[in-house]
Amino acid sequence: MKVDVLLGLQWGDEGKGKIVDVLTPGYDIIARFQGGPNAGHTLEFNGQKYILRSIPSGIFQGGKINVIGNGVVLDPLLFKQEAEALAESGHDLTKCLLISKKAHLILPTHRILDAAYETAKGDGKIGTTGKGIGPAYTDKISRSGLRVGDLLHNFEAKYSAAKARHEAILTSLNYTYDIKDMEAEWLEALEFLKKFTLTDSEHTINNALNEGKSVLAEGAQGTMLDIDFGSYPFVTSSNTVCAGCCTGLGVAPRSIGEVYGIFKAYCTRVGSGPFPTELLDETGETICRVGKEFGSVTGRKRRCGWIDLVALKYAVMINGVTRLIMMKSDVLDGFDTIKACVAYTVNSKEVTAFPYEADDSLEPVYVELPGWKTDMTKMQSENEFPEEFNAYLSFLEEELGAPVEIVSVGPDREQTIIRYQEN
Ligand code: GDP
Ligand code: IMO
Ligand code: MG
């Protein structure tokens, strides 16, 4: 069998968690392949709401194996808090969650370094989630990181050396901090982590594929936050794109099956960086209010704007998207007209290919489509879709060159419409 991949096509928060949960019954293994607790994946069902950070969104459907892959950076303390909260609500993960020994650890000093680097950048700050993601991946790439597998061999000496190295950097930045309490809790959390199956998950996944089992890989962040293809330097520190699934789980490119690309019917971004279709007006405020566009974890207000098809086409190309999923359609229910950006003007020239100079000088070129002015939140099937909504879908499919197979009309698991199309 193959690994199907579900990943964000915009700047994150597209609704990945919700759809992974919806698709989980069709898979044997659900695996996270990159990112860490910078993610906040929201799931709602039976009147309950859960926000997952490092734990895959396949844990609620029962009987599945969930994997935290080698490409993930894991903070043991945040992981413990997340797993304990889930255990309290009746979801014991010790039997259904495997953690790669090759996943890198986020140390307490990584979090402090994240804050120190942001402070040093001043107005040019990235607006990170402050979870130590950048510094942890920096150590990975510079070959000085600590991995989950290190917990089992001579950990104290390796930890002290890494901490001393980080402290020297912090001193050079004149950054004052106090990690005593956090560090004590973090060290305690290491024992908690050891209760889980720490393994070479690339073997688990490849063996499962060879036995005919199916795997769904869950992306975090979004394509426009990718370290290579995103709006650099305002990006995260991992490969959020489909290729990241191969390195982040240890699966060969030929093992990749469907690539689900997920996007909102409009667009949001949290943190700094270019956002060509951002709306700094009443319309942007309305989208933010109706869409409840505030960070799942940080509570930060998300910047809102119209859908950007230049960026989306780029994301479809980089990822080789085979199926599209459109989220939060209901948020546009009240609009008379809806705009979609089909090109940018740069120095009075129109471009349709996402440019290197993706900065604030890009002026979006819009087409305008009629709104559907219908409450879609209770719809159960595509037969109920208003004509204008179908027209919006057809327009997007035509522009993006892939079918929209799932439409989401509300945050609940049930508010999901699967369209059965002939490919
Ligand atoms: P993720 O990081 O990609 O998993 O997305 P987040 O959980 O950070 O953000 C998506 C937000 O939108 C969450 O609050 C979801 O509960 C909510 N959501 C998901 N799908 C829909 C939808 O179709 N309509 C509405 N109104 N909200 C949705
Ligand atoms: P999910 O998986 C939205 C953004 C941050 C910041 C930049 C770098 O929930 O979609 P980092 O802490 O990774 O160094 O921050 O990336 N960012 C996200 N934005 N959704 C996310 O995850 C994000 N993870 C990171 O706001 O701009
Ligand atoms: Mg999120």
Side-chain angles (χ1 to χ4, degrees), residues 77 108 159 163 179-188:
L77 177 54
Y159 175 69
K163 183 179 157 190
I179 53 163
K180 231 192 238 138
D181 291 347
M182 196 232 290
E183 185 185 32
E185 281 186 70
W186 188 90
L187 290 168
E188 230 178 84

Side-chain angles (χ1 to χ4, degrees), residues 11-13 16 38-41 127-129 220-221 225 235-236 270 300:
W11 278 278
D13 300 329
K16 299 174 290 291
N38 46 351
H41 294 182
T128 72
T129 58
Q221 292 76 57
L225 289 171
V235 293
T236 191
V270 61
R300 284 187 293 172

